[in-house]
Amino acid sequence: MGGIFGLDLARLAEDPTRLDIDTALPPVRLRGRLERRQPDSYSGVLSATVPATTVTAFGQLDLAAPGGPAFVALIGAVFPPPGLQLGLGFALSGVGGIVGINKAVNQDALISAIADGTAGELLFPADPGAAAQRVVPRLPALFPTAPGRAIVGPMFQVSWGGRIVSLSAAVVAELPDPVRLSLLGVLRVAVPDPAVPLIYLKATFAGQYDTAEPSAFLMASLTGSHMAGVPLDGDVLLLSRGGADPAFVLSAGGFHPAYPIPRGVPALHRLTMNLSPVPWIQLSCQAYFAITSNTLQFGARLSLVAEIADCGVRGQFGLDVLIHREPTLSFTADMRGSLSVEVLGETLLGIAFALTLEGPAPWHAVGRGSIDLFLFSASFDFDLRWGQPAPALPAEPADLRGRLEKAFSRPEAWSAMPPAQGEYLPVLLSPAANRLIGDGSLVHPHGTIVARQRVLPFGVAIERFGPSVVDPAENWDIVSSTLGGVDADDGPTVDLFAPGQFRNVSYDEQLTCPAYETYRSGRRLAGDLSEPDDDAFVRATLDWETRVVSDPKPVRSLDLLRFLRIGALAGAEDIAAATSVRDPRWWQTELTLLVADRTPIAAVSTWSMAPVETAAGPAPTDAELLLQCGALAGVRAVEAWEVGN
């Protein structure tokens, strides 16, 4: 390569958006590439090799980003075998770090990088040049511009048993608040020797913990693995989320086809083994297993294709099982299979069946089968029901009143909240009083008391309480709340409740309804802060004394006139500049974007779309409003923005 210090100036003259580097300055060898993808955006890779180590860096710089220049860099150094020995067979074979200014970590792009294998090439790639072609274009998506945010974290590579087990990982912290921690890595297991492994397992994984929601997820992909020559593939996911839309998901290979995938869960590849012994026989097996907050799911599919010159055998067998734990134990199992013999593309003999079994009490079986011969075909189907509903398990009567009284009698059901920040407080408390308020012994005069329970929701019909049936249904609510005999209602509190614990949920609702809904759980109580009556004031006579104090630094009249002239001149300049329509004074430069967790809903008339009142009492939550609208004729629930004036 010609050029100065290894710079490919000929290529630069042909393509001014790319600069290649390849230079040897013994004992250092430099290789890399710098590209300009936008007028003010640059990205590239640089690798430096010395006899003791190899250092690789990926980077991306955006000079025109909102909020100032934004950049991210990933730097890693790899040590030659056997690495730095740590003891017990472990060795440190690589170190590095990630740093970024005005950057964040994009969870969706991270999941996508796991699926296509790009995530593993970010950390200590064996061939930096080849990895750069796939990694560098993904950097803006993986680490998008986020003004005011910063990312930083270490990278390391640890091996065990002479590289039989190798782990490359990076822990990235996104700052400031809300803090997010991201994990990115690759785990490799090569047995018995990494050079010629009989078993090679490669798990590319990534995770993120978000303190704002809060939520935590971990996803791994087995793409590129094999066992005794049998290719392995598939994805594994663990998700735990709180907040307004809580969820728990543990899945290996995906979900039951009828199960609605929760928010934030990507499409997962089935756990797959390719068992084909020869090219003309295609034999593969797929499987999945999943646990959610209310279900257990598993299934498998075996397929066979053995053909030579359009003659051969085709067959498959599949099983999908979905088990619900609440409100009662029930399951649905789907089985299907087929086998056919084909000659020159025509079916000579074929057998197929499909069976759905639901239970355990009552049982319901639906099936269909068919037999195809060269000259004729026949089919049969059946739909059978038998058995009686399982008797209700013996359970204690649901004493809802007693449970509510017990819940509100616990100290943790009551809490004192301080006044809102920025609120004007005419009361000045002593240090001793502040200490008592801090430990919960006293309540601030302008604070509030919160009374809440998480036994059952208020304002809705309670049809069951766990395993106990409530017949007839009961509806509980707080009628009044007082402090010292005076009304102290300051609004309701809300919490998350599982609908299956207090409602008779149908099978379709079990598949579609959220695991938790928001309902009213208690009250906030505030004292009377209105102005006192006139007779509560004490009249007093005040005397005052007037004194004139001379200014130690009097303002000279000349300075005052000069100040007034400067002010008048500045005002005139503002008026003159504002006469232009291009002046920023005429245009709004800052916009405030409000993002809600979910769109609020309202009850309207189905005929006029005018808002209607569903029930007297406190403002219902969205979940309560949906139940109320379902019980009223001519009323429906719509998103609040659709309500007509």
Side-chain angles (χ1 to χ4, degrees):
M1 178 180 295
I4 303 175
F5 299 112
L7 302 180
D8 192 351
L9 301 182
R11 173 65 63 86
L12 181 63
E14 298 175 0
D15 185 2
T17 64
R18 192 179 81 177
L19 175 64
D20 292 329
I21 303 173
D22 189 354
T23 182
L25 300 174
V28 180
R29 177 70 180 271
L30 293 178
R31 293 181 178 179
R33 174 177 294 176
L34 178 64
E35 296 182 347
R36 186 180 66 184
R37 299 185 176 274
Q38 299 292 336
D40 295 308
S41 180
Y42 303 87
S43 58
V45 58
L46 181 63
S47 175
T49 303
V50 296
T53 184
T54 299
V55 180
T56 302
F58 298 106
Q60 191 259 336
L61 171 65
D62 189 356
L63 297 175
F71 80 92
V72 62
L74 297 87
I75 305 175
V78 179
F79 309 129
L84 303 179
Q85 297 301 309
L86 303 177
L88 300 177
F90 290 93
L92 180 65
S93 51
V95 294
I98 300 178
V99 62
I101 302 297
N102 290 329
K103 288 288 186 177
V105 180
N106 186 293
Q107 177 177 321
D108 295 335
L110 199 60
I111 293 175
S112 177
I114 297 172
D116 61 19
T118 307
E121 297 180 319
L122 285 169
L123 312 175
F124 311 106
D127 186 351
Q133 299 180 9
R134 295 180 292 272
V135 169
V136 172
R138 301 289 294 272
L139 290 179
L142 287 168
F143 306 101
T145 300
R149 305 288 288 175
I151 56 176
V152 61
M155 294 166 45
F156 59 89
Q157 187 178 70
V158 179
S159 59
W160 178 84
R163 297 181 180 266
I164 292 179
V165 179
S166 175
L167 172 65
S168 303
V171 181
V172 184
E174 185 179 334
L175 307 169
D177 289 335
V179 177
R180 295 186 180 92
L181 297 178
S182 300
L183 177 65
L184 177 66
V186 181
L187 176 65
R188 296 180 176 90
V189 179
V191 179
D193 187 273
V196 284
L198 182 64
I199 299 175
Y200 179 73
L201 299 179
K202 176 185 176 183
T204 305
F205 61 88
Q208 190 174 76
Y209 175 69
D210 190 347
T211 59
E213 196 167 23
S215 65
F217 93 93
L218 179 65
M219 180 178 174
S221 175
L222 297 177
T223 302
S225 303
H226 61 83
M227 182 180 299
V230 177
L232 302 177
D233 195 3
D235 299 332
V236 180
L237 175 77
L238 172 63
L239 171 66
S240 178
R241 180 176 62 233
D245 184 18
F248 174 80
V249 173
L250 173 60
S251 174
F255 302 91
H256 189 279
Y259 183 76
I261 298 178
R263 176 181 66 87
V265 176
L268 302 178
H269 293 92
R270 293 280 197 247
L271 300 178
T272 304
M273 295 183 64
N274 190 342
L275 305 173
S276 304
V278 291
W280 57 275
I281 297 180
Q282 301 177 20
L283 179 62
S284 64
C285 178
Q286 296 181 341
Y288 68 91
F289 176 83
I291 299 176
T292 68
S293 58
N294 191 39
T295 66
L296 174 65
Q297 312 169 33
F298 59 89
R301 182 175 183 268
L302 181 66
S303 61
L304 168 66
V305 177
E307 288 185 343
I308 297 179
D310 291 336
C311 299
V313 178
R314 287 177 175 265
Q316 66 170 355
F317 175 79
L319 171 68
D320 293 296
V321 178
L322 177 61
I323 302 175
H324 288 276
R325 297 189 295 271
E326 296 290 346
T328 58
L329 181 65
S330 62
F331 76 89
T332 300
D334 297 315
M335 291 170 283
R336 60 201 174 278
S338 64
L339 181 65
S340 62
V341 178
E342 297 183 355
V343 176
L344 300 178
E346 297 293 335
T347 301
L348 183 64
L349 172 64
I351 301 174
F353 76 93
L355 173 65
T356 299
L357 179 64
E358 299 176 353
W363 296 93
H364 183 202
V366 179
R368 179 178 177 84
S370 63
I371 299 176
D372 294 330
L373 297 178
F374 182 71
L375 298 177
F376 71 94
S377 63
S379 63
F380 61 92
D381 53 22
F382 61 89
D383 188 340
L384 302 177
R385 298 176 185 268
W386 70 95
Q388 298 296 326
L393 296 176
E396 298 180 359
D399 182 12
L400 303 185
R401 180 187 183 93
R403 290 182 176 270
L404 286 175
E405 291 177 347
K406 184 178 180 180
F408 277 115
S409 65
R410 294 174 179 171
E412 57 267 23
W414 300 82
S415 59
M417 305 299 294
Q421 280 189 335
E423 181 181 348
Y424 172 70
L425 302 177
V427 179
L428 182 63
L429 302 180
S430 65
N434 285 324
R435 285 194 296 270
L436 293 174
I437 291 175
D439 62 22
S441 301
L442 295 178
V443 181
H444 193 285
H446 286 255
T448 57
I449 298 176
V450 176
R452 71 197 318 158
Q453 52 76 40
R454 295 176 176 85
V455 174
L456 56 84
F458 289 134
V460 297
I462 307 299
E463 301 170 337
R464 63 184 305 113
F465 188 77
S468 302
V469 177
V470 181
D471 189 18
E474 300 181 9
N475 194 319
W476 289 86
D477 211 335
I478 297 177
V479 178
S480 64
S481 51
T482 60
L483 286 177
V486 180
D487 182 25
D489 189 0
D490 193 40
T493 63
V494 295
D495 281 289
L496 295 171
F497 295 90
Q501 292 293 319
F502 60 89
R503 287 178 49 207
N504 295 323
V505 183
S506 65
Y507 176 76
D508 292 337
E509 289 178 312
Q510 294 178 27
L511 291 175
T512 58
C513 72
Y516 296 91
E517 290 277 10
T518 302
Y519 295 95
R520 289 183 288 120
S521 61
R523 277 285 196 277
R524 290 193 302 269
L525 292 79
D528 185 9
L529 301 180
S530 59
E531 296 183 359
D533 298 333
D534 292 339
D535 55 3
F537 292 93
V538 177
R539 297 185 178 276
T541 302
L542 301 178
D543 295 330
W544 66 88
E545 181 181 358
T546 304
R547 291 185 180 184
V548 178
V549 181
S550 59
D551 190 348
K553 294 182 180 180
V555 180
R556 294 180 299 175
S557 60
L558 181 60
D559 294 338
L560 180 61
L561 291 176
R562 182 180 303 168
F563 173 77
L564 294 176
R565 290 170 182 167
I566 293 175
L569 180 59
E573 291 178 351
D574 286 343
I575 294 174
T579 56
S580 172
V581 295
R582 294 184 176 87
D583 190 86
R585 295 173 178 82
W586 294 100
W587 306 100
Q588 183 179 0
T589 58
E590 296 185 1
L591 298 177
T592 302
L593 180 63
L594 300 178
V595 180
D597 291 337
R598 60 175 63 185
T599 305
I601 63 174
V604 299
S605 168
T606 55
W607 178 76
S608 63
M609 290 295 289
V612 298
E613 294 291 337
T614 56
T621 64
D622 289 351
E624 291 180 64
L625 194 59
L626 288 172
L627 294 177
Q628 294 173 4
C629 293
L632 297 176
V635 178
R636 61 179 297 187
V638 299
E639 295 183 354
W641 63 269
E642 298 185 58
V643 179
N645 296 326

